[in-house]
mmCIF file of all heavy atoms in Angstrom:
data_model
loop_
_atom_site.group_PDB
_atom_site.id
_atom_site.type_symbol
_atom_site.label_atom_id
_atom_site.label_comp_id
_atom_site.label_asym_id
_atom_site.label_seq_id
_atom_site.Cartn_x
_atom_site.Cartn_y
_atom_site.Cartn_z
ATOM 1 N N ALA A 1 -1.539 4.260 84.104
ATOM 2 C CA ALA A 1 -1.306 4.665 85.489
ATOM 3 C C ALA A 1 -0.331 3.745 86.224
ATOM 4 O O ALA A 1 0.082 4.055 87.342
ATOM 5 C CB ALA A 1 -2.639 4.713 86.250
ATOM 6 N N LEU A 2 0.033 2.622 85.625
ATOM 7 C CA LEU A 2 1.000 1.723 86.252
ATOM 8 C C LEU A 2 2.396 2.306 86.095
ATOM 9 O O LEU A 2 2.769 2.770 85.015
ATOM 10 C CB LEU A 2 0.936 0.342 85.591
ATOM 11 C CG LEU A 2 1.767 -0.769 86.245
ATOM 12 C CD1 LEU A 2 1.182 -1.149 87.595
ATOM 13 C CD2 LEU A 2 1.834 -1.990 85.333
ATOM 14 N N SER A 3 3.178 2.291 87.162
ATOM 15 C CA SER A 3 4.518 2.875 87.096
ATOM 16 C C SER A 3 5.375 2.102 86.096
ATOM 17 O O SER A 3 5.189 0.904 85.868
ATOM 18 C CB SER A 3 5.181 2.839 88.472
ATOM 19 O OG SER A 3 5.594 1.521 88.793
ATOM 20 N N GLU A 4 6.323 2.791 85.499
ATOM 21 C CA GLU A 4 7.176 2.167 84.498
ATOM 22 C C GLU A 4 8.016 1.040 85.088
ATOM 23 O O GLU A 4 8.349 0.072 84.403
ATOM 24 C CB GLU A 4 8.073 3.217 83.839
ATOM 25 C CG GLU A 4 7.339 4.091 82.834
ATOM 26 C CD GLU A 4 6.641 3.270 81.759
ATOM 27 O OE1 GLU A 4 7.277 2.372 81.174
ATOM 28 O OE2 GLU A 4 5.446 3.516 81.515
ATOM 29 N N VAL A 5 8.387 1.176 86.356
ATOM 30 C CA VAL A 5 9.179 0.121 86.993
ATOM 31 C C VAL A 5 8.391 -1.179 87.020
ATOM 32 O O VAL A 5 8.899 -2.247 86.669
ATOM 33 C CB VAL A 5 9.587 0.534 88.416
ATOM 34 C CG1 VAL A 5 10.286 -0.611 89.140
ATOM 35 C CG2 VAL A 5 10.491 1.759 88.382
ATOM 36 N N TYR A 6 7.133 -1.091 87.435
ATOM 37 C CA TYR A 6 6.292 -2.286 87.453
ATOM 38 C C TYR A 6 5.955 -2.762 86.037
ATOM 39 O O TYR A 6 5.919 -3.967 85.771
ATOM 40 C CB TYR A 6 5.010 -2.023 88.234
ATOM 41 C CG TYR A 6 5.187 -2.175 89.721
ATOM 42 C CD1 TYR A 6 5.234 -1.060 90.553
ATOM 43 C CD2 TYR A 6 5.315 -3.428 90.302
ATOM 44 C CE1 TYR A 6 5.403 -1.192 91.919
ATOM 45 C CE2 TYR A 6 5.483 -3.571 91.667
ATOM 46 C CZ TYR A 6 5.528 -2.455 92.473
ATOM 47 O OH TYR A 6 5.694 -2.591 93.829
ATOM 48 N N ARG A 7 5.692 -1.823 85.150
ATOM 49 C CA ARG A 7 5.363 -2.224 83.785
ATOM 50 C C ARG A 7 6.506 -3.039 83.176
ATOM 51 O O ARG A 7 6.282 -4.051 82.504
ATOM 52 C CB ARG A 7 5.074 -1.008 82.913
ATOM 53 C CG ARG A 7 4.527 -1.387 81.527
ATOM 54 C CD ARG A 7 4.452 -0.191 80.587
ATOM 55 N NE ARG A 7 4.047 1.017 81.268
ATOM 56 C CZ ARG A 7 2.790 1.297 81.624
ATOM 57 N NH1 ARG A 7 1.827 0.444 81.349
ATOM 58 N NH2 ARG A 7 2.503 2.426 82.245
ATOM 59 N N LYS A 8 7.733 -2.599 83.422
ATOM 60 C CA LYS A 8 8.889 -3.297 82.873
ATOM 61 C C LYS A 8 8.998 -4.694 83.459
ATOM 62 O O LYS A 8 9.201 -5.683 82.732
ATOM 63 C CB LYS A 8 10.158 -2.502 83.161
ATOM 64 C CG LYS A 8 11.421 -3.104 82.555
ATOM 65 C CD LYS A 8 12.613 -2.196 82.818
ATOM 66 C CE LYS A 8 13.866 -2.759 82.166
ATOM 67 N NZ LYS A 8 15.045 -1.887 82.394
ATOM 68 N N LYS A 9 8.839 -4.785 84.758
ATOM 69 C CA LYS A 9 8.926 -6.095 85.409
ATOM 70 C C LYS A 9 7.811 -7.019 84.929
ATOM 71 O O LYS A 9 8.042 -8.186 84.599
ATOM 72 C CB LYS A 9 8.863 -5.945 86.924
ATOM 73 C CG LYS A 9 8.959 -7.292 87.642
ATOM 74 C CD LYS A 9 8.905 -7.153 89.156
ATOM 75 C CE LYS A 9 9.104 -8.525 89.809
ATOM 76 N NZ LYS A 9 9.020 -8.471 91.270
ATOM 77 N N PHE A 10 6.587 -6.513 84.897
ATOM 78 C CA PHE A 10 5.440 -7.331 84.509
ATOM 79 C C PHE A 10 5.543 -7.783 83.047
ATOM 80 O O PHE A 10 5.275 -8.936 82.716
ATOM 81 C CB PHE A 10 4.140 -6.564 84.726
ATOM 82 C CG PHE A 10 3.765 -6.369 86.177
ATOM 83 C CD1 PHE A 10 4.559 -6.845 87.209
ATOM 84 C CD2 PHE A 10 2.604 -5.683 86.514
ATOM 85 C CE1 PHE A 10 4.208 -6.659 88.546
ATOM 86 C CE2 PHE A 10 2.235 -5.501 87.844
ATOM 87 C CZ PHE A 10 3.044 -5.979 88.858
ATOM 88 N N THR A 11 5.939 -6.854 82.178
ATOM 89 C CA THR A 11 6.043 -7.184 80.759
ATOM 90 C C THR A 11 7.131 -8.218 80.525
ATOM 91 O O THR A 11 6.972 -9.146 79.715
ATOM 92 C CB THR A 11 6.316 -5.918 79.931
ATOM 93 O OG1 THR A 11 5.257 -4.978 80.136
ATOM 94 C CG2 THR A 11 6.417 -6.243 78.448
ATOM 95 N N THR A 12 8.243 -8.066 81.225
ATOM 96 C CA THR A 12 9.336 -9.030 81.105
ATOM 97 C C THR A 12 8.868 -10.430 81.476
ATOM 98 O O THR A 12 9.123 -11.402 80.762
ATOM 99 C CB THR A 12 10.514 -8.609 82.005
ATOM 100 O OG1 THR A 12 11.059 -7.388 81.525
ATOM 101 C CG2 THR A 12 11.600 -9.674 82.023
ATOM 102 N N PHE A 13 8.182 -10.543 82.599
ATOM 103 C CA PHE A 13 7.712 -11.854 83.060
ATOM 104 C C PHE A 13 6.691 -12.438 82.090
ATOM 105 O O PHE A 13 6.736 -13.628 81.750
ATOM 106 C CB PHE A 13 7.111 -11.729 84.456
ATOM 107 C CG PHE A 13 6.723 -13.053 85.059
ATOM 108 C CD1 PHE A 13 7.671 -13.853 85.684
ATOM 109 C CD2 PHE A 13 5.410 -13.500 85.001
ATOM 110 C CE1 PHE A 13 7.324 -15.081 86.232
ATOM 111 C CE2 PHE A 13 5.049 -14.720 85.550
ATOM 112 C CZ PHE A 13 6.005 -15.514 86.172
ATOM 113 N N PHE A 14 5.781 -11.617 81.651
ATOM 114 C CA PHE A 14 4.746 -12.056 80.708
ATOM 115 C C PHE A 14 5.380 -12.587 79.423
ATOM 116 O O PHE A 14 5.077 -13.700 78.960
ATOM 117 C CB PHE A 14 3.821 -10.873 80.414
ATOM 118 C CG PHE A 14 2.792 -11.129 79.350
ATOM 119 C CD1 PHE A 14 1.658 -11.865 79.624
ATOM 120 C CD2 PHE A 14 2.956 -10.599 78.074
ATOM 121 C CE1 PHE A 14 0.698 -12.091 78.635
ATOM 122 C CE2 PHE A 14 2.009 -10.822 77.086
ATOM 123 C CZ PHE A 14 0.874 -11.570 77.372
ATOM 124 N N ASN A 15 6.278 -11.803 78.838
ATOM 125 C CA ASN A 15 6.923 -12.213 77.591
ATOM 126 C C ASN A 15 7.755 -13.481 77.779
ATOM 127 O O ASN A 15 7.784 -14.357 76.908
ATOM 128 C CB ASN A 15 7.812 -11.091 77.058
ATOM 129 C CG ASN A 15 7.010 -9.915 76.528
ATOM 130 O OD1 ASN A 15 5.811 -10.020 76.278
ATOM 131 N ND2 ASN A 15 7.664 -8.776 76.367
ATOM 132 N N HIS A 16 8.414 -13.559 78.921
ATOM 133 C CA HIS A 16 9.259 -14.723 79.187
ATOM 134 C C HIS A 16 8.432 -16.009 79.263
ATOM 135 O O HIS A 16 8.841 -17.049 78.723
ATOM 136 C CB HIS A 16 10.023 -14.505 80.486
ATOM 137 C CG HIS A 16 10.879 -15.668 80.887
ATOM 138 N ND1 HIS A 16 12.020 -16.021 80.218
ATOM 139 C CD2 HIS A 16 10.731 -16.578 81.879
ATOM 140 C CE1 HIS A 16 12.560 -17.082 80.791
ATOM 141 N NE2 HIS A 16 11.791 -17.445 81.799
ATOM 142 N N ASN A 17 7.287 -15.971 79.921
ATOM 143 C CA ASN A 17 6.427 -17.148 79.990
ATOM 144 C C ASN A 17 6.020 -17.609 78.601
ATOM 145 O O ASN A 17 6.013 -18.809 78.302
ATOM 146 C CB ASN A 17 5.189 -16.856 80.836
ATOM 147 C CG ASN A 17 5.404 -17.072 82.305
ATOM 148 O OD1 ASN A 17 4.956 -18.052 82.889
ATOM 149 N ND2 ASN A 17 6.102 -16.138 82.937
ATOM 150 N N ALA A 18 5.666 -16.660 77.739
ATOM 151 C CA ALA A 18 5.270 -17.019 76.377
ATOM 152 C C ALA A 18 6.441 -17.623 75.602
ATOM 153 O O ALA A 18 6.278 -18.604 74.860
ATOM 154 C CB ALA A 18 4.718 -15.795 75.651
ATOM 155 N N GLU A 19 7.614 -17.048 75.760
ATOM 156 C CA GLU A 19 8.803 -17.580 75.083
ATOM 157 C C GLU A 19 9.075 -19.024 75.509
ATOM 158 O O GLU A 19 9.307 -19.903 74.676
ATOM 159 C CB GLU A 19 10.025 -16.709 75.401
ATOM 160 C CG GLU A 19 10.016 -15.328 74.784
ATOM 161 C CD GLU A 19 10.648 -15.306 73.400
ATOM 162 O OE1 GLU A 19 11.203 -16.348 72.978
ATOM 163 O OE2 GLU A 19 10.593 -14.247 72.751
ATOM 164 N N VAL A 20 9.055 -19.264 76.806
ATOM 165 C CA VAL A 20 9.343 -20.609 77.307
ATOM 166 C C VAL A 20 8.285 -21.597 76.825
ATOM 167 O O VAL A 20 8.597 -22.713 76.398
ATOM 168 C CB VAL A 20 9.438 -20.614 78.845
ATOM 169 C CG1 VAL A 20 9.512 -22.045 79.385
ATOM 170 C CG2 VAL A 20 10.663 -19.818 79.304
ATOM 171 N N LEU A 21 7.024 -21.194 76.880
ATOM 172 C CA LEU A 21 5.951 -22.083 76.427
ATOM 173 C C LEU A 21 6.141 -22.475 74.967
ATOM 174 O O LEU A 21 6.094 -23.661 74.620
ATOM 175 C CB LEU A 21 4.593 -21.403 76.610
ATOM 176 C CG LEU A 21 3.397 -22.163 76.009
ATOM 177 C CD1 LEU A 21 3.180 -23.488 76.717
ATOM 178 C CD2 LEU A 21 2.134 -21.308 76.063
ATOM 179 N N TRP A 22 6.341 -21.492 74.090
ATOM 180 C CA TRP A 22 6.385 -21.794 72.658
ATOM 181 C C TRP A 22 7.676 -22.515 72.257
ATOM 182 O O TRP A 22 7.673 -23.371 71.377
ATOM 183 C CB TRP A 22 6.208 -20.524 71.838
ATOM 184 C CG TRP A 22 6.001 -20.801 70.389
ATOM 185 C CD1 TRP A 22 6.834 -20.461 69.361
ATOM 186 C CD2 TRP A 22 4.902 -21.497 69.781
ATOM 187 N NE1 TRP A 22 6.327 -20.887 68.158
ATOM 188 C CE2 TRP A 22 5.128 -21.531 68.391
ATOM 189 C CE3 TRP A 22 3.755 -22.092 70.288
ATOM 190 C CZ2 TRP A 22 4.246 -22.139 67.494
ATOM 191 C CZ3 TRP A 22 2.862 -22.692 69.396
ATOM 192 C CH2 TRP A 22 3.121 -22.716 68.027
ATOM 193 N N ARG A 23 8.779 -22.176 72.924
ATOM 194 C CA ARG A 23 10.044 -22.809 72.548
ATOM 195 C C ARG A 23 10.226 -24.179 73.200
ATOM 196 O O ARG A 23 10.788 -25.095 72.598
ATOM 197 C CB ARG A 23 11.221 -21.899 72.912
ATOM 198 C CG ARG A 23 11.216 -20.580 72.168
ATOM 199 C CD ARG A 23 12.450 -19.749 72.472
ATOM 200 N NE ARG A 23 12.325 -18.411 71.911
ATOM 201 C CZ ARG A 23 12.502 -18.107 70.624
ATOM 202 N NH1 ARG A 23 12.821 -19.054 69.765
ATOM 203 N NH2 ARG A 23 12.367 -16.860 70.210
ATOM 204 N N ASN A 24 9.759 -24.331 74.431
ATOM 205 C CA ASN A 24 10.059 -25.547 75.194
ATOM 206 C C ASN A 24 8.826 -26.370 75.565
ATOM 207 O O ASN A 24 8.945 -27.572 75.801
ATOM 208 C CB ASN A 24 10.790 -25.194 76.497
ATOM 209 C CG ASN A 24 12.080 -24.444 76.252
ATOM 210 O OD1 ASN A 24 12.706 -24.580 75.204
ATOM 211 N ND2 ASN A 24 12.486 -23.637 77.220
ATOM 212 N N GLY A 25 7.665 -25.746 75.654
ATOM 213 C CA GLY A 25 6.514 -26.417 76.225
ATOM 214 C C GLY A 25 5.473 -26.894 75.232
ATOM 215 O O GLY A 25 4.405 -27.357 75.644
ATOM 216 N N VAL A 26 5.766 -26.789 73.936
ATOM 217 C CA VAL A 26 4.798 -27.218 72.932
ATOM 218 C C VAL A 26 5.280 -28.498 72.270
ATOM 219 O O VAL A 26 6.454 -28.634 71.919
ATOM 220 C CB VAL A 26 4.544 -26.126 71.865
ATOM 221 C CG1 VAL A 26 5.808 -25.786 71.098
ATOM 222 C CG2 VAL A 26 3.435 -26.541 70.913
ATOM 223 N N ASN A 27 4.374 -29.449 72.157
ATOM 224 C CA ASN A 27 4.654 -30.659 71.402
ATOM 225 C C ASN A 27 4.543 -30.313 69.922
ATOM 226 O O ASN A 27 3.456 -30.097 69.400
ATOM 227 C CB ASN A 27 3.646 -31.747 71.778
ATOM 228 C CG ASN A 27 3.948 -33.074 71.106
ATOM 229 O OD1 ASN A 27 4.452 -33.114 69.991
ATOM 230 N ND2 ASN A 27 3.629 -34.160 71.785
ATOM 231 N N LYS A 28 5.658 -30.222 69.253
ATOM 232 C CA LYS A 28 5.677 -29.722 67.875
ATOM 233 C C LYS A 28 5.128 -30.729 66.872
ATOM 234 O O LYS A 28 4.976 -30.415 65.693
ATOM 235 C CB LYS A 28 7.088 -29.264 67.507
ATOM 236 C CG LYS A 28 7.528 -28.050 68.324
ATOM 237 C CD LYS A 28 8.941 -27.632 68.011
ATOM 238 C CE LYS A 28 9.303 -26.349 68.743
ATOM 239 N NZ LYS A 28 9.266 -26.486 70.215
ATOM 240 N N ASN A 29 4.841 -31.934 67.323
ATOM 241 C CA ASN A 29 4.216 -32.911 66.437
ATOM 242 C C ASN A 29 2.713 -32.736 66.347
ATOM 243 O O ASN A 29 2.112 -33.012 65.318
ATOM 244 C CB ASN A 29 4.539 -34.331 66.902
ATOM 245 C CG ASN A 29 6.001 -34.668 66.740
ATOM 246 O OD1 ASN A 29 6.603 -34.348 65.721
ATOM 247 N ND2 ASN A 29 6.583 -35.285 67.756
ATOM 248 N N ASP A 30 2.090 -32.310 67.455
ATOM 249 C CA ASP A 30 0.631 -32.162 67.409
ATOM 250 C C ASP A 30 0.113 -30.898 68.070
ATOM 251 O O ASP A 30 -1.086 -30.697 68.179
ATOM 252 C CB ASP A 30 -0.061 -33.375 68.012
ATOM 253 C CG ASP A 30 0.383 -33.658 69.445
ATOM 254 O OD1 ASP A 30 1.056 -32.798 70.051
ATOM 255 O OD2 ASP A 30 0.031 -34.731 69.953
ATOM 256 N N LEU A 31 1.012 -30.010 68.500
ATOM 257 C CA LEU A 31 0.635 -28.682 68.988
ATOM 258 C C LEU A 31 -0.357 -28.750 70.150
ATOM 259 O O LEU A 31 -1.375 -28.068 70.160
ATOM 260 C CB LEU A 31 0.070 -27.838 67.843
ATOM 261 C CG LEU A 31 1.067 -27.553 66.720
ATOM 262 C CD1 LEU A 31 0.375 -26.873 65.546
ATOM 263 C CD2 LEU A 31 2.212 -26.685 67.225
ATOM 264 N N LEU A 32 -0.027 -29.563 71.147
ATOM 265 C CA LEU A 32 -0.799 -29.625 72.380
ATOM 266 C C LEU A 32 0.057 -29.108 73.531
ATOM 267 O O LEU A 32 1.285 -29.177 73.484
ATOM 268 C CB LEU A 32 -1.247 -31.061 72.670
ATOM 269 C CG LEU A 32 -2.244 -31.682 71.703
ATOM 270 C CD1 LEU A 32 -2.483 -33.144 72.065
ATOM 271 C CD2 LEU A 32 -3.566 -30.910 71.702
ATOM 272 N N PHE A 33 -0.606 -28.617 74.575
ATOM 273 C CA PHE A 33 0.105 -28.094 75.738
ATOM 274 C C PHE A 33 -0.183 -28.937 76.966
ATOM 275 O O PHE A 33 -1.307 -29.410 77.169
ATOM 276 C CB PHE A 33 -0.303 -26.645 76.006
ATOM 277 C CG PHE A 33 -0.032 -25.723 74.859
ATOM 278 C CD1 PHE A 33 -1.080 -25.209 74.109
ATOM 279 C CD2 PHE A 33 1.258 -25.394 74.514
ATOM 280 C CE1 PHE A 33 -0.840 -24.374 73.038
ATOM 281 C CE2 PHE A 33 1.519 -24.559 73.435
ATOM 282 C CZ PHE A 33 0.464 -24.039 72.690
ATOM 283 N N SER A 34 0.830 -29.082 77.809
ATOM 284 C CA SER A 34 0.684 -29.814 79.064
ATOM 285 C C SER A 34 0.435 -28.824 80.198
ATOM 286 O O SER A 34 0.331 -27.617 79.979
ATOM 287 C CB SER A 34 1.941 -30.634 79.341
ATOM 288 O OG SER A 34 3.012 -29.792 79.742
ATOM 289 N N SER A 35 0.376 -29.340 81.414
ATOM 290 C CA SER A 35 0.184 -28.472 82.578
ATOM 291 C C SER A 35 1.448 -27.700 82.922
ATOM 292 O O SER A 35 1.404 -26.748 83.700
ATOM 293 C CB SER A 35 -0.273 -29.287 83.785
ATOM 294 O OG SER A 35 0.692 -30.276 84.114
ATOM 295 N N SER A 36 2.577 -28.109 82.361
ATOM 296 C CA SER A 36 3.840 -27.396 82.547
ATOM 297 C C SER A 36 4.167 -26.621 81.289
ATOM 298 O O SER A 36 4.175 -27.193 80.191
ATOM 299 C CB SER A 36 4.976 -28.370 82.860
ATOM 300 O OG SER A 36 6.238 -27.721 82.761
ATOM 301 N N TRP A 37 4.478 -25.356 81.425
ATOM 302 C CA TRP A 37 4.809 -24.544 80.262
ATOM 303 C C TRP A 37 6.254 -24.712 79.819
ATOM 304 O O TRP A 37 6.669 -24.111 78.824
ATOM 305 C CB TRP A 37 4.485 -23.079 80.534
ATOM 306 C CG TRP A 37 3.015 -22.807 80.439
ATOM 307 C CD1 TRP A 37 2.053 -23.647 79.977
ATOM 308 C CD2 TRP A 37 2.338 -21.594 80.797
ATOM 309 N NE1 TRP A 37 0.815 -23.052 80.024
ATOM 310 C CE2 TRP A 37 0.969 -21.785 80.532
ATOM 311 C CE3 TRP A 37 2.748 -20.378 81.328
ATOM 312 C CZ2 TRP A 37 0.010 -20.794 80.775
ATOM 313 C CZ3 TRP A 37 1.800 -19.389 81.572
ATOM 314 C CH2 TRP A 37 0.441 -19.592 81.293
ATOM 315 N N SER A 38 7.024 -25.525 80.522
ATOM 316 C CA SER A 38 8.412 -25.772 80.111
ATOM 317 C C SER A 38 8.615 -27.189 79.591
ATOM 318 O O SER A 38 9.723 -27.535 79.193
ATOM 319 C CB SER A 38 9.360 -25.521 81.295
ATOM 320 O OG SER A 38 9.099 -26.433 82.347
ATOM 321 N N THR A 39 7.553 -27.992 79.572
ATOM 322 C CA THR A 39 7.679 -29.404 79.204
ATOM 323 C C THR A 39 6.606 -29.783 78.191
ATOM 324 O O THR A 39 5.417 -29.565 78.453
ATOM 325 C CB THR A 39 7.541 -30.309 80.439
ATOM 326 O OG1 THR A 39 8.463 -29.882 81.448
ATOM 327 C CG2 THR A 39 7.801 -31.762 80.075
ATOM 328 N N PRO A 40 6.965 -30.362 77.063
ATOM 329 C CA PRO A 40 5.961 -30.750 76.072
ATOM 330 C C PRO A 40 5.069 -31.886 76.570
ATOM 331 O O PRO A 40 5.423 -32.628 77.482
ATOM 332 C CB PRO A 40 6.802 -31.214 74.871
ATOM 333 C CG PRO A 40 8.161 -30.664 75.099
ATOM 334 C CD PRO A 40 8.337 -30.594 76.584
ATOM 335 N N VAL A 41 3.934 -32.028 75.924
ATOM 336 C CA VAL A 41 3.012 -33.116 76.222
ATOM 337 C C VAL A 41 3.658 -34.452 75.878
ATOM 338 O O VAL A 41 4.315 -34.593 74.850
ATOM 339 C CB VAL A 41 1.706 -32.949 75.415
ATOM 340 C CG1 VAL A 41 0.861 -34.215 75.465
ATOM 341 C CG2 VAL A 41 0.918 -31.759 75.929
ATOM 342 N N VAL A 42 3.462 -35.428 76.752
ATOM 343 C CA VAL A 42 3.808 -36.813 76.451
ATOM 344 C C VAL A 42 2.494 -37.576 76.380
ATOM 345 O O VAL A 42 1.783 -37.702 77.372
ATOM 346 C CB VAL A 42 4.727 -37.417 77.528
ATOM 347 C CG1 VAL A 42 4.996 -38.891 77.223
ATOM 348 C CG2 VAL A 42 6.036 -36.636 77.614
#
């Protein structure tokens, strides 16, 4: 029942957050996440 315009916008944002988290926000040495999804754990 959600309009396609909103579905497209929502899906884009959702997918983008996941992309940024996995590509930029994960410490690839120990696979931990910080409070920022764009910055790895220190």
